Amino acid sequence: MTAEQLISFARGAPSLDIVDVAGLKAAAQRAFEADPAGITAYGTSVGYLPLREWIAQKHGVAPEQVLVTNGSLQADAFLFNELVGPGDAVVVERPTYDRTLLNLRNLGGEVHQVTLQPDGLDTDELRKLLESGVRPKLAHVIPNYQNPAGVTLALPKRRALLELAAEFGFTIFEDDPYADVRFRGEALPSMLSMDERGVVVHASSFTKTICPGVRVGYLVGPAATIASIAKKATNLYISPGMVAQAIVHQFCVSGDIERSIATVSRALGERASVLARSLREHIPGVRFTEPDGGYFLWVELPEDVHVDAVLPAAAERGVAVVKGSDFLLEGGEHALRLAYSAVTVDQIDEGVRRLAAAIAAVRER
Ligand SMILES: Cc1ncc(COP(=O)(O)O)c(C=O)c1O
């Protein structure tokens, strides 16, 4: 590896070696053979019907509760547009996915960030916020291997959140693209599956388990909410991309998806543990929670190290990271998000060494 080669811990995307290109090519062939009329025509805004059905079965819901979108970011945007207007209160995690913050703020939402603990959202803090009179339209939660912090919402907290949503009348938006990328431990039930009162809307995606380029994600929720969003989607784009959704459908029904999930989970589990080891070895004083799945590790740097200084110093040395402050309304000046999805194992130690050199240079100034 040359010194000039950029090592990127910045992007939450998979490296090509863990994308099943051959499997996708074969799925495309099967899709065109099985349903040429269906996939070359306009579809309807709810998505490619066989894939909608497959997703409905996966989650144990009726197909009318599913809308298949162009990636889950579009699912997020649809739901935010449906529920949030200027001045409406919304709850998000602190820290949270940067595009969530951006989209909610662009809609004029009054964003309240609630502390994220090593076992997920601080539900006691949320209760206090609600008891203080704040009445959110929705609480956005990334329950598994959170972006950016890598942590998972514990089962008792899932129950507590469902209770709070029922008591205070808000929607839980369960934004869950990482659930299947698990290295350790048992899968926890989704809040969607635990919901008896229709307070949860769930989003997920094939970005993290197949690849981002297919741009296929989805929303699952009460049929009336889905129907209302589908109507707006029709006016927006008639239908999402049928070809991509049909390829994903073939990839799923053939069982290739299970193999792909196993490949991604195995590779990312190894990368996460190599990253954790390298951080401990090369950067004294860093703190982090080692993730059990997902794409990200959140690193707290020593208090005298400001990320605004680290970023350019890291870039000079050929390593890219994302500032913690991008995921927060305020704070995060001493934190970084490291994605281990796009780096191969042999790049990680060198990347951390470069980052350590950047941090050392900043501290010497
Ligand atoms: C929590 C969360 N939601 C949504 C998305 C959007 O993913 P996509 O639109 O590729 O499905 C991401 C991507 O990183 C994410 O981390």
Side-chain angles (χ1 to χ4, degrees):
M1 190 183 318
T2 62
E4 305 82 57
Q5 220 174 356
L6 177 73
I7 297 175
S8 179
F9 294 117
R11 293 221 63 197
S15 53
L16 183 58
D17 60 309
I18 55 171
V19 176
D20 182 5
V21 177
L24 283 166
K25 272 172 73 177
Q29 177 97 29
R30 290 196 301 278
F32 277 103
E33 280 164 7
D35 188 16
I39 71 175
T40 56
Y42 283 120
T44 62
S45 67
V46 295
Y48 185 60
L49 296 179
L51 181 61
R52 186 194 202 201
E53 182 92 41
W54 187 88
I55 294 164
Q57 271 184 20
K58 174 178 161 85
H59 289 284
V61 299
E64 293 68 37
Q65 291 181 258
V66 179
L67 179 86
V68 195
T69 54
N70 298 303
S72 64
L73 189 61
Q74 186 168 60
D76 295 14
F78 277 151
L79 189 72
F80 293 159
N81 275 296
E82 186 72 9
L83 297 186
V84 182
D88 285 340
V90 287
V91 167
V92 301
E93 296 160 314
R94 184 172 65 230
T96 192
Y97 181 38
D98 47 354
R99 292 188 208 278
T100 296
L101 272 185
L102 208 70
N103 285 341
L104 287 170
R105 293 178 85 183
N106 285 346
L107 284 170
E110 179 194 291
V111 180
H112 296 265
Q113 285 203 289
V114 171
T115 305
L116 192 68
Q117 297 171 308
D119 63 349
L121 187 83
D122 185 340
T123 45
D124 292 336
E125 185 180 314
L126 175 58
R127 174 172 278 286
K128 285 199 191 97
L129 181 73
L130 297 166
E131 285 173 350
S132 78
V134 171
R135 289 291 173 270
K137 285 284 173 66
L138 64 83
H140 174 267
V141 176
I142 306 164
N144 295 297
Y145 325 125
Q146 200 250 16
N147 180 6
V151 304
T152 292
L153 186 65
L155 188 57
K157 286 187 163 182
R158 293 179 190 225
R159 292 199 190 100
L161 200 51
L162 285 163
E163 289 302 317
L164 289 173
E167 186 179 340
F168 291 93
F170 60 87
T171 295
I172 298 172
F173 183 23
E174 180 172 52
D175 190 1
D176 199 17
Y178 301 101
D180 289 333
V181 185
R182 187 174 73 254
F183 327 140
R184 267 185 297 275
E186 290 298 308
L188 292 177
S190 67
M191 286 181 280
L192 176 74
S193 70
M194 297 162 70
D195 180 20
E196 289 169 356
R197 303 179 178 104
V199 294
V200 176
V201 177
H202 178 102
S204 191
S205 175
F206 296 95
T207 283
K208 313 294 172 178
T209 51
I210 301 180
C211 68
V214 291
R215 305 310 298 133
V216 181
Y218 57 89
L219 207 56
V220 183
T225 308
I226 295 299
S228 166
I229 294 174
K231 203 164 161 189
K232 290 173 192 146
T234 304
N235 294 333
L236 189 67
Y237 55 42
I238 306 175
S239 68
M242 291 293 115
V243 172
Q245 294 196 4
I247 294 171
V248 168
H249 172 249
Q250 287 293 339
F251 198 84
C252 290
V253 293
S254 66
D256 286 353
I257 182 104
E258 301 305 329
R259 247 202 350 266
S260 180
I261 289 170
T263 303
V264 172
S265 303
R266 199 177 324 110
L268 267 54
E270 187 187 2
R271 292 175 196 181
S273 77
V274 172
L275 177 59
R277 199 180 330 128
S278 295
L279 286 168
R280 288 191 194 101
E281 197 175 322
H282 302 307
I283 313 184
V286 290
R287 286 176 295 131
F288 56 87
T289 302
E290 214 174 318
D292 293 330
Y295 276 44
F296 306 107
L297 193 147
W298 178 260
V299 177
E300 302 274 355
L301 301 172
E303 288 291 304
D304 61 334
V305 183
H306 200 292
V307 287
D308 285 344
V310 171
L311 245 68
E316 266 170 40
R317 290 164 178 79
V319 62
V321 294
V322 183
K323 293 193 272 192
S325 48
D326 287 0
F327 306 93
L328 292 148
L329 293 174
E330 53 190 39
E333 293 89 2
H334 310 290
L336 297 173
R337 186 194 75 175
L338 302 182
Y340 43 80
S341 51
V343 283
T344 50
V345 161
D346 61 318
Q347 293 178 310
I348 292 174
D349 197 64
E350 172 61 19
V352 173
R353 284 173 192 270
R354 292 181 191 179
L355 182 59
I359 290 169
V362 166
R363 294 183 103 172
E364 271 165 26
R365 278 184 208 152

